[in-house]
Amino acid sequence: MSRTSIIEVRGLCNRFGRNSVHEDLDLDLYRGEILGVVGGSGTGKSVLLRSIVGLNRPVAGEVRLFGQNLLALPAAERSRLEQRLGVLFQGGALFSSLTVRENVALPLIEHAGLSRRDAEELAEVKLALSGLAPHAGDLYPASLSGGMVKRVSLARALALDPDVVFLDEPTAGLDPIGAAAFDQLILTLRNALGLTVFMVTHDLDSLWTACDRIAVLSQKRVLVADEPAKVAQYDDPWIRDYFNGPRGRAAYQAVQES
């Protein structure tokens, strides 16, 4: 079956002072898939995400989005390309002084040029897509539960109808029921909207439940990127401990029984 790469990372190098995080890293993201990105502490999972979406400039390498080299584009063209990407940041990164509705409407006003009224009406649609009740739009971030923060952040990531959504630890801090509901929401949105999803996570349940492929970062590069079952059998000590330890076995068993 032929797959279309909509994001291609080639020869990526990220260094911070004397600390080398990535060296000659290659990775593809295929249209319509949910890709889970895992790795031990310090392997640069979030740095990779930020490099792809244009928030971190690597010291070397190439990031091609929809066939265009992001790093070589003029600022205006790069900005237009980046609007085809939606990002859910770890912790939500919501503006505390704005209501939920205003948080989601903001990119529609700033980037799509909508009036505040139109932007807020569309924001209500995005909030509904993310599984939030109508009254949630009037709330402020300080009054939201952890699960609601994730859903509001997802609604904001979907505001501009992106082709690709980037999720940075989307289920971190959620209870098991909330995390499972969020996984199902991502699957539903991918299937309904044709989204492509790049998800940094350490949640074994999410990896087994939602992901079509898993990319493992190790030794400053992508060690393996394949279907979950194949990655779990890869001959590497960290992968064996991660996927075949007690929690990994329990997560796999739960998926098999569902």
Side-chain angles (χ1 to χ4, degrees), residues 35-219:
L35 175 70
V37 178
V38 302
S41 178
T43 54
K45 301 179 291 295
S46 294
V47 173
L48 174 59
L49 183 156
R50 293 173 66 86
S51 298
I52 294 174
V53 302
L55 295 174
N56 176 75
R57 190 171 186 88
V59 298
E62 184 175 273
V63 178
R64 300 190 70 84
L65 275 62
F66 314 106
Q68 299 187 68
N69 184 354
L70 179 68
L71 303 177
L73 291 174
E77 290 184 37
R78 185 169 68 248
S79 178
R80 282 194 293 272
L81 195 64
E82 289 168 353
Q83 288 176 34
R84 298 176 67 182
L85 312 176
V87 185
L88 186 160
F89 294 101
Q90 190 173 353
L94 299 176
F95 293 103
S96 60
S97 61
L98 301 181
T99 66
V100 162
R101 185 184 299 105
E102 289 167 341
N103 264 281
V104 178
L106 189 61
L108 292 162
I109 296 169
E110 290 194 343
H111 299 295
L114 297 186
S115 68
R116 176 170 177 169
R117 178 179 176 180
D118 289 344
E120 291 192 356
E121 286 183 359
L122 190 51
E124 294 283 3
V125 175
K126 304 300 181 180
L127 289 167
L129 274 176
S130 300
L132 288 161
H135 77 274
D138 296 320
L139 301 176
Y140 285 87
S143 65
L144 302 179
S145 68
M148 290 178 73
V149 168
K150 301 290 188 182
R151 288 173 184 264
V152 174
S153 302
L154 178 61
R156 188 176 61 183
L158 296 172
L160 296 172
D161 296 325
D163 296 288
V164 187
V165 175
F166 292 81
L167 310 176
D168 194 356
E169 298 286 4
T171 59
L174 300 184
D175 63 76
I177 294 174
F182 197 90
D183 289 339
Q184 290 303 317
L185 174 62
I186 295 303
L187 282 166
T188 298
L189 290 174
R190 187 275 301 270
N191 295 337
L193 304 178
L195 292 173
T196 302
V197 180
F198 180 107
M199 178 167 61
V200 172
T201 187
H202 67 274
D203 190 327
L204 282 154
D205 291 316
S206 297
L207 292 169
W208 282 114
T209 299
C211 294
D212 300 298
R213 287 193 307 138
I214 298 171
V216 178
L217 300 190
S218 180
Q219 302 165 37

Side-chain angles (χ1 to χ4, degrees), residues 201-254:
T201 187
H202 67 274
D203 190 327
L204 282 154
D205 291 316
S206 297
L207 292 169
W208 282 114
T209 299
C211 294
D212 300 298
R213 287 193 307 138
I214 298 171
V216 178
L217 300 190
S218 180
Q219 302 165 37
K220 304 180 183 181
R221 61 188 178 88
V222 175
L223 183 64
V224 59
D226 211 328
E227 297 170 5
K230 293 181 179 178
V231 170
Q233 298 303 314
Y234 191 83
D235 186 16
D236 175 80
W238 187 88
I239 291 177
R240 282 198 300 272
D241 290 344
Y242 187 77
F243 284 96
N244 299 304
R247 289 188 177 184
R249 291 197 301 271
Y252 176 72
Q253 187 64 32

